[in-house]
Amino acid sequence: MHWWSSLVTISRDGLRIQRAFAAPSAIARAVLSVLLATVLGLVLDDPVAGAMASVGAFICGIGTLLSPLRHPVVNALGMAAAFSAMAVLGALVHGTTWLFLLVLAVAAFATGLWRTMGIAPGIRGCLAVIGLMITADLAPDVHGGLVIAGWIAVGTGLVVVVQLLPPYGPRFAAQRRALAVLYQSLAEASVAAGSAGLGGAAPFTAARQALDLLPQLSRPAAAAMFGLLGEAERIRRALHTVRLTVAAAGNQEALAAAAHVLGDISRTVASGREHRTPEEAWTLLESWAAVSPMRGPRDLAARLRTAEQLARRSTDDRLGDVLEPHTEVPGLYAGTPSVARTARRIRAQLHPQSPIFRHAVRLAVGVVLAEVIGRSIGGWGGLGISTHGFWVALTTMLVLFPEYGHTLARGWGRAAGAVLGGLFAWVLSLPNWTPVGLAVVAIVLAAASFVTLRTGQLMLNLWLTTWIVFLIHHVGGLPGPTAWARAADTVVGAAIAVLIFLVWPTWSTQRVPGLLAEWLRVQDRLLPELLTGYADVGATDPAAVDALRARSRQVREHLEAAVEQSHAEPAEHRGPWSSVQLEQIRTQVSTVAGCATLLGEHLPRTPQDTVPELTELVDPLHEHLTALARASAGAETVAPGALRSVFDSFTARSGLLAETPDGFGSATTSRAVLLSIATVDAVEALTATIASRHRRGRHAAA
């Protein structure tokens, strides 16, 4: 993709308006907190108190709407504490510019590292740092800054209080949402063409992370949901088996029935109320399983029955009593404490090669530079707030992302929204508002910002700019054209963010070779371990296999994200593969992962199921994957067909091809042979795509 086409695509993305909204009850709570803060200002007849409490309630309210994974009260309390503490810190360093800039740099760096936890936590960190900028820039002195910080804390406290009001919804709402999305993705994948959709790791990772956040004391009560996560993994494996080993003809109606069941499970888990699947769907599934000679349909029907029972039990008020004590529920009592896990994830990013670390450094430099530039600009000839640069700095912080596409799209969307918002705010500043009218308009504008929070940067920043400029204009007694100063600050801040990214970029395209090599190194250990397991019952270490699978999922999720982000970059010439080839790699990686899943699912359970001949493939496969990992990083070349040649010689010598369904072998042996053939085919297809980089003569630094 060239620069011009990249800019066109990103500009279109930045102006796109999405139909994505937070939960109505969450939006209503956020609006109510701003309403209470505004009423407090009217009752006290103190415009500054009302405005600052509204700002605290508004920022903290946004934090509660950003993909909450923890309980709403916990989210609100954490956001309130962070924002209020930063506001107090900003008031304390207000009088010393160099100290404020130093603290700002450290806070921005920490926020950049916090991006490790995800997009929503990263934005919450940015919102907290805004509290530091507000009091450090707007406070007349330390005492005045502490007063402002106090009213901000009151506003954030109101957000915490309104989270305690009904309606409360089902228990473990965030975990239910993640599991519902997971089962819905399985429902869609079960009727999709091919099996590529079954390889998506993101829904499983999101559900696992949501459940991992539950404290140990709450986990027994969530036993059914932990069981649903385990069953989702088994259902995916059963669907893989069905698609690979069962003829496609006549299966579509049965798979559609399975999708119906999975959809009903998703709705049951999400709502906490049972959604029954019609008996016709179950009859069709069980009839299909009864007549099939293969184990896949029987496993799928049994797993769906278990998942349905767990979903029904998850609606029980006494969740902790719904499972038998001996029931095995993965992750129920295991897991690292949340604080230790967070520290470990952040510690893993503390090296110069990490894109998150480079983003953190870039964010610290960019925010400080934007603050200095904002203060140097002054008041735009009397239209703005003289010697205050926080609006430029906060725009830079909210625009600058680790990815090129997100950074440019957010910069363009926020700038366009700020200009439109400035125009609207200027129109609203023309009438002479009464205090009550001012309060009503401010609440309406805040509500519009909450509603459009997830619809895109254009709509969000339009209402956000209108609200904040309207508030500052009437509280601070500034001239009407102040709206244009805020719009100009936004444009400058967005331009600074984009320029800094282009000066020191982190291209996702250039991350793909390293991530692919890392994933292949995991497969280099996983696939030989699984093939060794066919030598004898129990020859494979289940704990080692589970650890390798977990690592494979993590790396594959990062790889898929990097491939997705690379499509927006004008840096295709910098990478070893084209966009089409990157999509092929993503699909082929998913296929290899599916083969590994099936090899593990069908490990021998009795001595009659063993296929010791397959262990001869361990060394050739290990050597091939080792060389392929080096080739993906640009260190050497691997010719396609080498592994296929070894496999053909092996099958000809061992006579295993006669064990396929066309031959005379047992069902278990033929299934193992089919899985090994599919694995070799998948690895060879990936080898051919990786080798295309060398035929094009493109080498990327490892």
Side-chain angles (χ1 to χ4, degrees):
M1 181 181 293
H2 299 294
W3 283 98
W4 177 248
S5 59
S6 171
L7 290 175
V8 170
T9 302
I10 290 172
S11 299
R12 189 166 54 244
D13 291 342
L15 298 179
R16 181 178 291 124
I17 300 175
Q18 305 172 7
R19 294 177 59 86
F21 306 98
S25 60
I27 294 175
R29 294 176 196 274
V31 174
L32 178 59
S33 63
V34 175
L35 172 62
L36 293 176
T38 305
V39 170
L40 179 64
L42 290 176
V43 170
L44 297 177
D45 194 21
D46 188 341
V48 174
M52 291 299 103
S54 297
V55 168
F58 182 82
I59 299 295
C60 191
I62 289 178
T64 63
L65 300 179
L66 291 171
S67 302
L69 290 180
R70 297 185 183 273
H71 192 279
V73 176
V74 177
N75 278 328
L77 192 59
M79 189 68 209
F83 189 70
S84 301
M86 281 293 180
V88 172
L89 181 59
L92 295 176
V93 300
H94 160 76
T96 311
T97 301
W98 68 267
L99 181 58
F100 163 60
L101 295 178
L102 177 61
V103 172
L104 179 61
V106 173
F109 177 78
T111 299
L113 286 182
W114 194 247
R115 180 65 169 74
T116 305
M117 311 310 296
I119 294 178
I123 295 179
R124 287 194 188 99
C126 293
L127 295 177
V129 178
I130 290 175
L132 172 70
M133 300 181 194
I134 290 175
T135 51
D137 266 8
L138 295 182
D141 50 41
V142 173
H143 178 266
L146 291 175
V147 171
I148 291 175
W151 287 118
I152 286 176
V154 170
T156 61
L158 292 174
V159 176
V160 177
V161 170
V162 298
Q163 305 304 316
L164 303 174
L165 302 176
Y168 301 112
R171 193 177 181 188
F172 307 121
Q175 286 69 30
R176 289 180 180 276
R177 282 194 300 271
L179 283 170
V181 170
L182 170 57
Y183 273 86
Q184 185 59 38
S185 70
L186 288 174
E188 295 170 357
S190 62
V191 293
S195 59
L198 294 171
F204 286 88
T205 301
R208 191 174 296 105
Q209 289 176 347
L211 287 170
D212 279 346
L213 289 174
L214 291 178
Q216 297 296 330
L217 293 176
S218 299
R219 294 192 176 198
M225 284 183 282
F226 278 94
L228 281 166
L229 177 60
E231 285 304 320
E233 183 63 48
R234 298 182 184 100
I235 289 170
R236 178 171 67 167
R237 296 174 190 172
L239 286 170
H240 268 300
T241 302
V242 167
R243 291 191 176 279
L244 185 63
T245 60
V246 180
N251 289 340
Q252 292 306 313
E253 290 185 2
L255 289 174
H260 195 167
V261 173
L262 290 166
D264 287 335
I265 292 172
S266 173
R267 287 185 284 273
T268 297
V269 173
S271 64
R273 297 186 300 273
E274 183 178 354
H275 290 259
R276 288 187 175 273
T277 302
E279 284 301 321
E280 294 80 5
W282 283 115
T283 302
L284 179 59
L285 274 172
E286 290 166 356
S287 301
W288 177 53
V291 301
S292 175
M294 307 298 290
R295 198 176 76 188
R298 294 193 296 273
D299 285 349
L300 179 59
R303 297 304 182 192
L304 289 174
R305 275 292 186 190
T306 303
E308 186 204 35
Q309 293 170 4
L310 287 169
R312 190 184 308 126
R313 291 172 177 179
S314 73
T315 65
D316 197 303
D317 291 334
R318 300 180 65 191
L319 293 178
D321 299 333
V322 299
L323 296 181
E324 296 296 330
H326 63 273
T327 302
E328 181 181 353
V329 183
L332 180 56
Y333 299 104
T336 307
S338 179
V339 175
R341 185 171 57 251
T342 300
R344 185 176 60 213
R345 289 178 63 181
I346 292 178
R347 228 178 10 249
Q349 303 295 334
L350 295 177
H351 58 89
Q353 289 75 33
S354 166
I356 294 294
F357 179 83
R358 285 181 284 173
H359 165 68
V361 175
R362 186 170 55 201
L363 190 66
V365 173
V367 170
V368 171
L369 180 63
E371 176 70 25
V372 173
I373 291 176
R375 293 191 175 202
S376 301
I377 289 174
W380 293 99
L383 301 181
I385 307 174
S386 181
T387 70
H388 299 294
F390 76 95
W391 197 266
V392 178
L394 72 87
T395 301
T396 299
M397 183 169 59
L398 292 173
V399 167
L400 194 53
F401 263 47
E403 303 87 18
Y404 168 83
H406 284 162
T407 297
L408 265 69
R410 290 175 68 86
W412 171 238
R414 288 189 75 88
V419 172
L420 295 176
L423 175 62
F424 192 23
W426 175 71
V427 172
L428 290 178
S429 68
L430 296 179
N432 293 320
W433 296 96
T434 63
V436 174
L438 170 63
V440 171
V441 174
I443 293 169
V444 170
L445 294 176
S449 299
F450 291 138
V451 171
T452 59
L453 178 66
R454 298 184 182 181
T455 61
Q457 291 296 305
L458 174 65
M459 289 299 297
L460 169 62
N461 219 44
L462 187 157
W463 296 109
L464 177 62
T465 301
T466 304
W467 177 76
I468 195 67
V469 170
F470 183 77
L471 204 63
I472 291 176
H473 165 70
H474 286 280
V475 172
L478 298 175
T482 302
W484 303 115
R486 293 283 73 80
D489 285 344
T490 301
V491 173
V492 171
I496 292 172
V498 172
L499 180 61
I500 289 176
F501 188 97
L502 295 178
V503 171
W504 191 15
T506 47
W507 299 114
S508 297
T509 306
Q510 294 179 338
R511 294 180 56 216
V512 171
L515 289 171
L516 179 58
E518 184 179 357
W519 182 82
L520 286 167
R521 285 192 289 270
V522 177
Q523 301 307 303
D524 182 23
R525 299 168 57 194
L526 176 59
L527 288 174
E529 179 76 16
L530 293 173
L531 288 176
T532 302
Y534 282 84
D536 197 3
V537 178
T540 296
D541 181 7
V545 170
D546 287 344
L548 289 171
R549 277 177 174 164
R551 182 58 183 160
S552 174
R553 276 196 208 96
Q554 292 171 359
V555 179
R556 181 155 59 97
E557 186 178 1
H558 292 313
L559 175 62
E560 290 176 351
V563 171
E564 182 67 28
Q565 294 156 7
S566 68
H567 294 328
E569 296 179 354
E572 182 177 300
H573 61 284
R574 303 173 185 268
W577 301 289
S578 66
S579 295
V580 174
Q581 289 170 323
L582 288 176
E583 281 301 319
Q584 290 176 344
I585 287 174
R586 179 159 65 171
T587 301
Q588 291 158 356
V589 161
S590 177
T591 304
V592 174
C595 291
T597 295
L598 293 175
L599 284 171
E601 183 70 6
H602 295 287
L603 286 171
R605 301 174 184 176
T606 65
Q608 292 75 24
D609 294 339
T610 60
V611 189
E613 295 88 346
L614 289 182
T615 57
E616 293 187 36
L617 285 176
V618 169
D619 288 339
L621 186 60
H622 165 69
E623 294 173 1
H624 186 85
L625 290 173
T626 300
L628 196 59
R630 291 196 296 265
S632 66
E636 63 178 57
T637 303
V638 175
L643 182 61
R644 165 61 62 187
S645 177
V646 172
F647 181 76
D648 290 344
S649 301
F650 156 72
T651 52
R653 184 176 64 257
S654 64
L656 280 179
L657 284 180
E659 304 287 347
T660 59
D662 296 332
F664 56 83
S666 67
T668 54
T669 303
S670 64
R671 182 173 58 239
V673 174
L674 286 173
L675 290 176
S676 64
I677 292 173
T679 302
V680 171
D681 288 343
V683 173
E684 279 291 358
L686 181 59
T687 301
T689 306
I690 291 175
S692 65
R693 66 181 290 164
H694 300 287
R695 290 199 297 269
R696 292 168 58 192
R698 295 182 178 180
H699 300 266

